[in-house]
Amino acid sequence: MPRHDMTKQNPLLIDGGESPSFHRIAPEHAVPAIEARLSEGRALVSEVSNTSHPSWSSVVTPLEAADDRLGQSWAPIRHLHAVADTPAWRRAYNHCLTLLEAYRTERGQNDALYRLYEALSTHPEAPGYSPAQRKTIEDALREFRLAGVDLCGPDKARFKALSADLAELGSRFGENVLDATQGWRKHLTRPETLAGLPDTVMALARARAEREGREGWLLTLDFPVYSGVMNHALDRSLREEVYEAYVTRASDQSPNAGKWDNAPLIEAILTKRHELARLCGFASYAEYSLARKMADSPEQVRSFLADLARRSKPVAERERADLEEYAREDLGLDSLQAWDVAFAAEQLRQARFSLSQEALRPYFPLPKVLDGLFTVTSRLFGVSITGTAAETWAPEVQCFEIRDRDGERLGSFYLDAFARDGKRGGAWMDECVGRRRTERGIQHPIAFLSCNFAPPVGGGPSLLTHEEVLTLFHEFGHGLHHLLTRVDIAAVSGINGVPWDAVELPSQFLENWCWEEEGLALVSAHVQTGEALPADLIRRLRKARSFMAGMQMVRQIEFALLDLRAHAETAPGTRRSILALHAEVRAEVAVIEPPCYNRFANAFTHIFSGGYACGYYSYKWAEVLAADAFARFEEEGLFDEKCGQAFRQSILERGGSEDAMALFREFRGRAPDIRALLRHRGIDRTAPGQPRG
Ligand code: ZN
């Protein structure tokens, strides 16, 4: 079919902020739609680049509109690939990804465009720009610079070569980890060796064996199997064997010593990242990475982590002593080894709280949880949420509309709650349409919320665990950040333009209502009796929240410090091997001494093949922001209206339109304080700000 016909009928080329027409969209529409948008984008970029009188309306406005059209074509493709995957969608998606990546690189290194944005920042109109306009230009200039746009000829070529090398090294690093993970297995035929493993893990191991036409069970290093063994296997030597295989993946240590060794790649990646950062004028890759983040400097992150460690380590040490004693007396383990820690902790958790997530399910039927979630949202932020009819991609998907107190429409969202064949695992929020002002008025935001809860069976509702209730609140928090935005420029509205280390603030923040009695009363109703979660269960749930929190905290800090220091201390001559560095970091913060064959860094994909390079601290950073923001509600009232409005106005409505720290300060009246997080985790019980009555 000729291209123009395809374009005319292509449902992915309809824009204007409408909900996509899911029934009409097929994989064969994807590539032609993206190609059409990209050629439109390229034509526009070259037209705009020739502007002799750059202004907001001659440069930013047309580019923003084109990017938005591209975004509206791409969002349904990305989404359908994630929730209704087929081989055809996967091919179409990957093809589009390659096209988009090339376009992004081209745009980032477009010198003419960069000069136009520079001109705009000093334009006579500039003093009159709104904060959102200023931030849009600042962000764009920063991205150009981080893409090496203003380097001289040879440096620019070197930058490109380094970027290409790093992309390749990163993907080889990930492939080695994957191959090493899949390159180990253990075949077992005697069920007593597997004693203690949960049914789900047994079923996975059984299915693996069956697939290979073997009797018994096949253990692998896939995370569900690995963590199942470490947490539950009664056989200590089995735990030890699986532990050793897991922590030596992609290394020079046995059982697959040297086969997929990532050590040389780590050295190459750190060296090249350092060179790339230096080219762009930064002292280290840590500084380069932080240029996009809320944290100001490596020193600031370092002292943040050191402070957390200083307060958490004594607690972690007490927990370890407690665990050692329990392991000795009750489990007959004379010395607590690295492969005993998770197992002993799980046994102790059961002994102490006898609280199983499964037993909580009857209290959390999904319709009740949703009702409670919407009530919490409405009481906090004064908005109302109602179901609407809209075309979706699967019959069980629901659509909702969100309106302000005065009835003004704010946005809408899809909720795809249940696990299904062809749907990616986990839970996430994604943008379908972003808010912006167009010539026709306001384009309202639309969000996708996806979870993987067990579908309803036997006519009853789907029943959630408490962890799943937290997941729903978490994703909904991201959703509110996208939907309640008041920003009129797409590049900085909703979660766009929000730095990596601040984006988890609204999501983690909203989870807090599921730990409070008043919040739990709104989201729970026993499926048979209608009874809310009883006080005794609430008490146990809250106590279990801080179980081993100190040990978990220092473990996360260890990884974050390793990541930070590996990228900050990279000057030639002073750099230590990653192994030596890790040993130093452990000596500072860890409370468990792993065996000397442990090669954790060799499989640290977050930082060597994912997007977390010098960003692992973000997990803790955002937790501090979320806990401290919630602490204001503890001080002023869990459902205090003024407080809810303040959070809405300072955080949710402003998106990425202003500096994240400035927005936090506006809401809290001061800089973030780590004590709320420590108190919530039971690490520092003496901190002020205890909840009122
Ligand atoms: Zn999140």
Side-chain angles (χ1 to χ4, degrees), residues 632-648:
R632 186 173 157 190
F633 288 83
E634 292 179 304
E635 291 152 16
E636 294 176 25
L638 195 59
F639 287 100
D640 183 75
E641 210 174 308
K642 200 168 112 263
C643 210
Q645 281 306 316
F647 189 81
R648 180 177 167 187

Side-chain angles (χ1 to χ4, degrees), residues 187-473:
H187 185 221
L188 294 165
T189 49
R190 291 183 310 134
E192 59 272 26
T193 327
L194 296 155
L197 290 189
D199 293 346
T200 48
V201 179
M202 292 291 281
L204 276 173
R206 178 77 204 104
R208 277 295 158 83
E210 239 164 50
R211 207 183 302 161
E212 303 200 355
R214 300 172 85 165
E215 293 293 304
W217 299 267
L218 202 58
L219 293 183
T220 63
L221 296 180
D222 291 334
F223 194 75
V225 177
Y226 166 73
S227 72
V229 171
M230 297 318 296
N231 284 305
H232 303 285
L234 296 172
D235 185 333
R236 194 184 195 192
S237 63
L238 178 70
R239 290 201 307 269
E240 182 176 357
E241 192 181 345
V242 174
Y243 173 84
E244 183 175 0
Y246 193 80
V247 303
T248 56
R249 285 174 304 157
S251 80
D252 59 344
Q253 301 292 305
S254 51
N256 279 317
K259 212 166 168 188
W260 298 283
D261 192 359
N262 267 338
L265 298 189
I266 292 176
E267 289 306 305
I269 289 170
L270 291 176
T271 305
K272 283 173 194 274
R273 279 181 182 165
H274 181 69
E275 191 187 341
L276 184 136
R278 297 283 301 173
L279 272 180
C280 294
F282 295 94
S284 66
Y285 192 81
E287 282 193 4
Y288 176 90
S289 168
L290 293 181
R292 284 193 178 100
K293 298 188 172 76
M294 179 175 172
D296 290 327
S297 65
E299 295 70 42
Q300 189 192 18
V301 177
R302 174 89 205 241
S303 67
F304 163 72
L305 292 171
D307 190 21
L308 266 186
R310 191 174 52 78
R311 295 164 190 257
S312 310
K313 198 174 173 184
V315 179
E317 276 166 342
R318 278 200 299 278
E319 288 167 357
R320 188 199 52 200
D322 192 19
L323 195 61
E324 275 171 347
E325 188 191 323
Y326 171 77
R328 202 170 42 242
E329 316 251 296
D330 291 67
L331 305 175
L333 298 171
D334 274 343
S335 64
L336 193 68
Q337 299 295 333
W339 47 87
D340 298 323
V341 175
F343 171 75
E346 189 53 38
Q347 298 285 319
L348 180 57
R349 184 204 309 272
Q350 282 170 22
R352 219 163 256 181
F353 308 108
S354 62
L355 185 76
S356 100
Q357 286 285 332
E358 290 306 311
L360 295 175
R361 280 190 195 273
Y363 289 99
F364 298 118
L366 180 60
K368 176 64 188 176
V369 176
L370 271 183
D371 186 60
L373 170 63
F374 296 165
T375 304
V376 167
T377 309
S378 156
R379 287 177 61 184
L380 285 175
F381 307 122
V383 295
S384 65
I385 300 165
T386 45
T388 63
E391 196 186 311
T392 66
W393 53 93
E396 67 269 31
V397 175
Q398 294 172 278
C399 193
F400 297 90
E401 200 171 61
I402 181 159
R403 287 183 183 273
D404 213 343
R405 197 176 273 116
D406 59 5
E408 182 200 348
R409 185 177 164 219
L410 296 170
S412 56
F413 62 94
Y414 298 93
L415 175 66
D416 185 351
F418 307 122
R420 192 171 55 236
D421 279 347
K423 182 171 167 182
R424 170 160 47 107
W428 67 92
M429 190 286 290
D430 198 5
E431 169 176 325
C432 175
V433 173
R435 177 185 158 110
R436 58 185 285 263
R437 186 177 292 280
T438 72
E439 305 118 40
R440 285 165 301 192
I442 290 296
Q443 172 175 295
H444 294 290
I446 306 177
F448 295 122
L449 298 179
S450 307
C451 300
N452 267 282
F453 303 144
V457 280
S462 169
L463 302 173
L464 309 190
T465 63
H466 182 254
E467 274 166 16
E468 288 172 332
V469 174
L470 288 170
T471 299
L472 186 66
F473 271 66

